[in-house]
Amino acid sequence: TISAVGKLLLALALGLAVPVQEDIEALLREARRLEQAGDPAAAAEACQLFLQHARQGSAERARALFALAAIEGDLGRYAESARHAREAAAIFEARGDAGRLSNALNRAGLAFLYAGDYRQAGESFRSAVAVSTRAGDREGRAEQLMNLGNVHFFVGRYVDAARMYDEALAVTTGSGTAPWTPRRRRLVLANQAILYQKLGRDEQALAAYQELGATAGEQVEDELISSPD
């Protein structure tokens, strides 16, 4: 049986007209399915095939590029991930889509961070923070501030890292009962605890760990500074 995205790509190859918005949604669903099935390489290939036919400068092209960048990051293809995230960011910026622009800049920052290019990671995260701040995107800003703190941590700027974590926690706390806040708070607290341990500030580290222990258990290891995100 041909999958939804397979039918889509066949139609594109044959030059048939297909609803563009429906196209990208089908692609994203198929990419998620392939990733969940443990085949991210196939998900990346589906995105690449879609991009061969996606119109230059279109929102659909940018969304496919962003999806591809995320998959490539998971595959450890950091140079490609950063390049595609930046290409998506350029399109989102041209189209005035601030929310997706900040996400794409953040994705590029993650690729640079994992690759050990802390200068470009910092630049990407700072740009993402600026965009999300202007757009009033508190969730994005909290995540990006934490990621910027991780950059500072890895290059040994611990005071700057602490300041970024404090800002991320303040944004999260100030967002009240928004659905995203419990997980983000745990992530920031976990990173703060690791930083405090590094600095020998044992009482503060213990307090952070105690608060973490009092919250509902959710896996956060993928975003700790010992494994950057």
Side-chain angles (χ1 to χ4, degrees):
T1 303
I2 302 177
S3 67
V5 78
K7 293 176 181 177
L8 159 66
L9 295 172
L10 177 60
L12 289 169
L14 294 174
L16 302 178
V18 286
V20 178
Q21 183 62 28
E22 186 177 316
D23 295 353
I24 185 62
E25 298 302 336
L27 171 70
L28 297 178
R29 284 194 302 271
E30 181 68 1
R32 281 193 295 271
R33 185 191 69 78
L34 289 168
E35 282 199 284
Q36 290 168 358
D39 197 353
E45 183 178 359
C47 292
Q48 289 163 343
L49 288 170
F50 181 90
L51 287 167
Q52 291 178 13
H53 303 278
R55 183 169 54 83
Q56 292 293 329
S58 66
E60 292 71 30
R61 179 177 185 82
R63 291 180 67 190
L65 284 164
F66 181 81
L68 177 58
I71 296 165
E72 289 169 331
D74 291 340
L75 289 169
R77 301 174 185 171
Y78 302 128
E80 293 92 337
S81 178
R83 177 166 56 86
H84 289 134
R86 281 180 152 183
E87 187 178 343
I91 298 173
F92 289 137
E93 183 172 24
R95 299 183 67 86
D97 190 337
R100 289 193 172 110
L101 169 59
S102 70
N103 288 338
L105 290 168
N106 187 65
R107 174 54 57 187
L110 291 173
F112 287 127
L113 182 61
Y114 278 114
D117 188 339
Y118 300 125
R119 181 186 62 80
Q120 293 206 76
E123 289 177 359
S124 294
F125 290 139
R126 278 188 287 272
S127 296
V129 168
V131 173
S132 60
T133 300
R134 289 195 300 270
D137 177 5
R138 298 178 68 85
E139 180 179 6
R141 184 166 180 251
E143 177 183 359
Q144 294 146 16
L145 284 167
M146 191 190 76
N147 287 336
L148 184 54
N150 292 349
V151 173
H152 290 311
F153 179 91
F154 280 113
V155 299
R157 294 196 294 263
Y158 300 128
V159 172
D160 291 331
R163 180 167 52 84
M164 291 297 100
Y165 295 150
D166 285 344
E167 286 191 36
L169 193 59
V171 172
T172 302
T173 301
S175 298
T177 59
W180 58 270
T181 58
R183 180 172 185 271
R184 183 55 52 189
R185 182 174 183 82
R186 288 193 292 274
L187 289 167
V188 177
L189 285 170
N191 282 345
Q192 281 185 323
I194 294 170
L195 174 62
Y196 293 149
Q197 279 189 297
K198 180 76 173 179
L199 296 175
R201 292 156 62 173
D202 295 336
E203 289 187 6
Q204 288 174 290
L206 180 60
Y209 281 127
Q210 286 175 335
E211 183 169 349
L212 278 168
T215 60
E218 178 178 334
Q219 293 296 317
V220 298
E221 289 82 355
D222 62 327
E223 295 195 54
L224 300 184
I225 50 182
S226 56
S227 175
D229 176 358

